[in-house]
Amino acid sequence: NPSRFSDSPDLPVQSVSWNDVQRFLGAFAKSVPGCDAVLPTEAQWEYACRAGTETPFHSGETITTDQANFYGDLPYRSDDAKGEFRRCTVPVKTFRPNRWGLYEMHGNVWEWCADGRRGYGAEPVEDPRGPEGPDTPRAVRGGSWLNGALHLRSAQRLAIPPGNAHDFLGFRFCLRSIESGAERR
């Protein structure tokens, strides 16, 4: 676990690059046959975050530090070496989930997406994908512990090179069965 904040097993993994996540997902797939583990596209991530809402945050028009971990008035941790205080991640399930039961979709860590940032056109599209070349900067969604509320909006996104790893970057993967129930034993 490369995480800067790792003193609890309930903290999200962070300080991982998109490339690190791909290696993890490959190893995971080998250890759990019959399952496919992938990062969501940025469109899938936003759909899951919104959970059927159309507001800036799945909780409504505004967000507070009682609803998400972002640069506000809590939480702080002491840096034992220097006695200084710094922002940090919080355990998953610290805040209420969205309507679909997904926790910490806003704040805590930016989450890597499978694809890069795509342009928005005038025509509606279904399940769009952004660029996906090997060196393409990948979309990250959700905001983090070091951002203000503006960066936590459901539609907010950044693009970061796939080799970068920072203590504000983490991931959430999608898991699905790739075998039909009749074929499993």
Side-chain angles (χ1 to χ4, degrees), residues 81-115:
K82 298 178 183 176
E84 298 172 355
F85 289 87
R86 58 182 158 77
R87 300 283 304 159
C88 63
T89 57
V90 297
V92 175
K93 296 187 179 181
T94 294
F95 302 100
R96 292 182 55 135
N98 69 12
R99 291 181 0 188
W100 293 351
L102 300 171
Y103 289 88
E104 274 69 64
M105 293 299 291
H106 300 293
N108 227 13
V109 292
W110 284 98
E111 297 179 3
W112 287 108
C113 294
D115 54 342

Side-chain angles (χ1 to χ4, degrees), residues 48-153:
C49 178
R50 288 184 181 278
T53 66
E54 294 183 9
T55 54
F57 308 97
H58 64 68
S59 56
E61 295 293 330
T62 62
I63 197 162
T64 70
T65 55
D66 291 330
Q67 298 168 307
N69 182 29
F70 64 98
Y71 191 73
D73 60 356
L74 63 106
Y76 286 87
R77 292 174 28 150
S78 172
D79 180 346
D80 296 334
K82 298 178 183 176
E84 298 172 355
F85 289 87
R86 58 182 158 77
R87 300 283 304 159
C88 63
T89 57
V90 297
V92 175
K93 296 187 179 181
T94 294
F95 302 100
R96 292 182 55 135
N98 69 12
R99 291 181 0 188
W100 293 351
L102 300 171
Y103 289 88
E104 274 69 64
M105 293 299 291
H106 300 293
N108 227 13
V109 292
W110 284 98
E111 297 179 3
W112 287 108
C113 294
D115 54 342
R117 278 180 36 174
R118 62 184 169 74
Y120 291 124
E123 296 298 316
V125 292
E126 188 173 312
D127 204 14
R129 292 188 77 93
E132 298 185 56
D135 296 323
T136 300
R138 300 302 167 144
V140 294
R141 293 293 199 120
S144 80
W145 56 270
L146 63 73
N147 295 120
L150 177 66
H151 287 93
L152 276 61
R153 293 177 307 114

